[in-house]
Amino acid sequence: MHKVRCFECGADVEDPLLDSCPKCGGLLTIEMDLDAAAGIRPYDLRKRPLGVWRYAPFLPVDASKAISLQEGGTPLYDCQNLVGKMGIKRLHVKYEGANPTGSFKDRGMTVGVSRALELGCGTVGCASTGNTSASLAAYAAKGGLRCVVLLPSGKVAAGKLAQAMFYGAKVVMVDGNFDDALAVVKQLARERELYLLNSVNPYRPEGQKTVAFEIVDQLNFEVPDRVILPVGNAANIWAVYKAFKEWRSLGWIDRIPMLTGIQAAGSAPIVEAFRSGKRDFVPEEHPETVATAIRIGNPASGRKALRAIFDTKGYAESVTDEEILAAQKLLGRSEGVGVEPASAASIAGLLKLVDSGIVSRDEKVVCICTGNVLKDPDTVMHSCEGILKAKPTAKDVRRVIS
Ligand SMILES: *Cc1c(COP(=O)(O)O)cnc(C)c1O
Ligand SMILES: [Zn+2]
């Protein structure tokens, strides 16, 4: 069993349809009962294939009824070409683009949609910069639920929009940014129109914990020194923190990596708060960045993210759009790993932090690369060299490639 608790005041929250604390308005979080897991040994988990449901004792829904597309189980690449270029010893990239809909959102959505079915909800919904809606639409299809997604007008990458439409969701573009869309969908949830599956729903981060479990599992329980990930709405860094804490409390690991969040320079309220040593942040009114998945000015889980960063002696840094696009290409062209711009923020952040000496050269680092390059083909085609043209002869092709 598990409990839903207020992150701020600790109150137990009984109503399963709330997205914030009825007493203080605080964020919700789940307290897992780890007694069931205490009886097993880490390597026992390996009887099940690598993936989200390998870690069922750490998930707050009935695994036997899970709505699953075999999410998780993503590669952990040992980036030997890139370390040479960066001057560090070890770098692994956790490639979340290999999930069923191409982003880490699937880890949370398998748990969230399973929870919606447990509760008997017929319609699920979310506001999204793209990947959440792509993922929710797919899992709603698998679970036989109606799905409504609200997208900010104009700024959604083509691949993500296509996915939401393809899986049969009702796709609504609202005239505003992500923060506006989230406010509207929250109201619809309060009016019982739909079950809210944004990451303020505490069941989603529970599924997202599994990216941290997999990293440790794939490294044979050797804990990295640092884990770097992009921060948008800020639930994922919290999920990663929660995962490490749960395993430490069982004695499966003896320390927690320094959690390091990277934001885009035009959209960096968490970085601002971190720089001034504060555990609360001031929203950015006009978030701007090419990395649309992290183009969020008022991160719903921002306070959780700051706790994760401060409690692990981690760091927060911002990177420019130019740095993001350069890092995206560097990863693709030195390791063959294609990620979307937001995901490349983690690599861009690592480069910057190695340069500034915050990350020392002998650290073992894992960068979580959150989404697939195919999500945003327009940005890629704008940032790459043009296409060569030739007559249909070997001679002319030789001319243009020389
Ligand atoms: C959602 C998303 C993020 C941001 O994750 P948060 O939990 O909102 O901080 C980063 N990258 C990609 C590709 C995403 O889809
Ligand atoms: Zn509270």
Side-chain angles (χ1 to χ4, degrees):
M1 275 306 291
H2 63 276
K3 281 187 169 148
V4 179
R5 284 248 163 87
C6 175
F7 170 77
E8 302 291 348
C9 76
D12 285 342
V13 177
E14 305 296 341
D15 181 345
L17 296 177
L18 292 181
D19 62 53
S20 58
C21 173
K23 292 204 174 110
C24 76
L27 293 163
L28 304 183
T29 184
I30 285 178
E31 192 162 299
M32 287 300 300
D33 174 3
L34 296 179
D35 285 353
I40 49 183
R41 287 163 306 166
Y43 287 93
D44 293 343
L45 294 172
R46 292 188 177 175
K47 286 179 196 134
R48 297 184 100 167
L50 184 71
V52 168
W53 296 97
R54 171 181 280 191
Y55 309 99
F58 300 89
L59 301 176
V61 292
D62 180 353
S64 69
K65 297 191 186 122
I67 303 301
S68 173
L69 294 167
Q70 299 179 29
E71 48 291 319
T74 58
L76 184 70
Y77 294 123
D78 187 351
C79 295
Q80 309 238 353
N81 298 333
L82 206 49
V83 286
K85 291 180 186 168
M86 292 176 115
I88 58 171
K89 219 157 81 185
R90 283 298 280 291
L91 170 65
H92 284 90
V93 162
K94 182 66 170 159
Y95 182 51
E96 291 292 283
N99 274 294
T101 76
S103 85
F104 77 85
K105 299 297 197 299
D106 294 344
R107 295 181 185 272
M109 233 30 116
T110 182
V111 174
V113 168
S114 300
R115 175 69 180 161
L117 277 160
E118 268 182 14
L119 293 172
C121 299
T123 305
V124 290
C126 67
S128 172
T129 61
N131 281 333
T132 298
S133 59
S135 182
L136 181 57
Y139 284 86
K142 177 86 175 176
L145 299 172
R146 279 187 38 162
C147 177
V148 181
V149 306
L150 270 56
L151 304 174
S153 60
K155 298 281 183 172
V156 178
K160 306 175 187 183
L161 184 58
Q163 286 178 294
M165 295 164 70
F166 174 73
Y167 292 117
K170 293 215 181 299
V171 179
V172 186
M173 282 260 176
V174 298
D175 188 12
N177 63 23
F178 170 81
D179 304 302
D180 302 321
L182 181 59
V184 174
V185 79
K186 275 183 168 177
Q187 185 178 341
L188 291 172
R190 272 196 301 278
E191 293 168 1
R192 303 291 194 247
E193 197 76 42
L194 49 82
Y195 180 64
L196 183 68
L197 274 170
N198 275 92
S199 56
V200 289
N201 181 319
Y203 287 80
R204 278 213 17 225
E206 291 303 305
Q208 291 172 201
K209 290 187 307 194
T210 58
V211 72
F213 294 152
E214 284 184 14
I215 289 169
V216 174
D217 208 341
Q218 287 169 303
L219 293 172
N220 288 314
F221 290 83
E222 192 193 330
V223 183
D225 297 309
R226 188 183 298 270
V227 172
I228 305 182
L229 65 163
V231 171
N233 223 10
N236 207 33
I237 193 166
W238 164 254
V240 167
Y241 175 54
K242 198 166 182 289
F244 286 125
K245 274 216 307 197
E246 289 178 3
W247 276 18
R248 192 182 55 182
S249 80
L250 291 176
W252 288 13
I253 55 175
D254 56 7
R255 63 199 172 89
I256 298 183
M258 293 175 276
L259 297 185
T260 300
I262 310 297
Q263 295 199 289
S267 182
I270 300 303
V271 176
E272 295 299 326
F274 175 78
R275 283 185 186 142
S276 51
K278 298 211 174 89
R279 284 177 180 249
D280 205 355
F281 64 93
V282 181
E284 164 64 53
E285 294 277 330
H286 302 290
E288 266 317 328
T289 169
V290 67
T292 49
I294 53 173
R295 186 172 170 268
I296 292 170
N298 187 14
S301 300
R303 289 170 58 81
K304 289 179 172 176
L306 285 161
R307 185 181 294 178
I309 292 166
F310 282 119
D311 286 7
T312 61
K313 300 192 165 49
Y315 207 81
E317 184 58 279
S318 63
V319 289
T320 64
D321 283 359
E322 293 69 41
E323 290 168 326
I324 287 172
L325 295 176
Q328 184 189 23
K329 263 193 245 168
L330 180 68
L331 180 63
R333 293 176 182 191
S334 45
E335 297 288 347
V337 178
V339 303
E340 66 168 283
S343 316
S346 61
I347 302 292
L350 173 60
L351 283 164
K352 192 163 173 181
L353 294 175
V354 169
D355 263 357
S356 64
I358 300 288
V359 173
S360 70
R361 293 178 186 276
D362 54 7
E363 276 182 28
K364 293 199 190 79
V365 177
V366 175
C367 283
I368 301 180
C369 284
T370 44
N372 196 296
V373 65
L374 294 173
K375 292 282 191 171
D376 190 355
D378 300 316
T379 300
V380 168
M381 286 191 284
H382 278 115
S383 77
C384 291
E385 303 76 14
I387 299 167
L388 306 169
K389 298 222 165 80
K391 298 193 192 84
T393 64
K395 182 166 174 254
D396 204 43
V397 171
R398 202 177 295 121
R399 177 187 63 81
V400 299
I401 64 175
S402 68

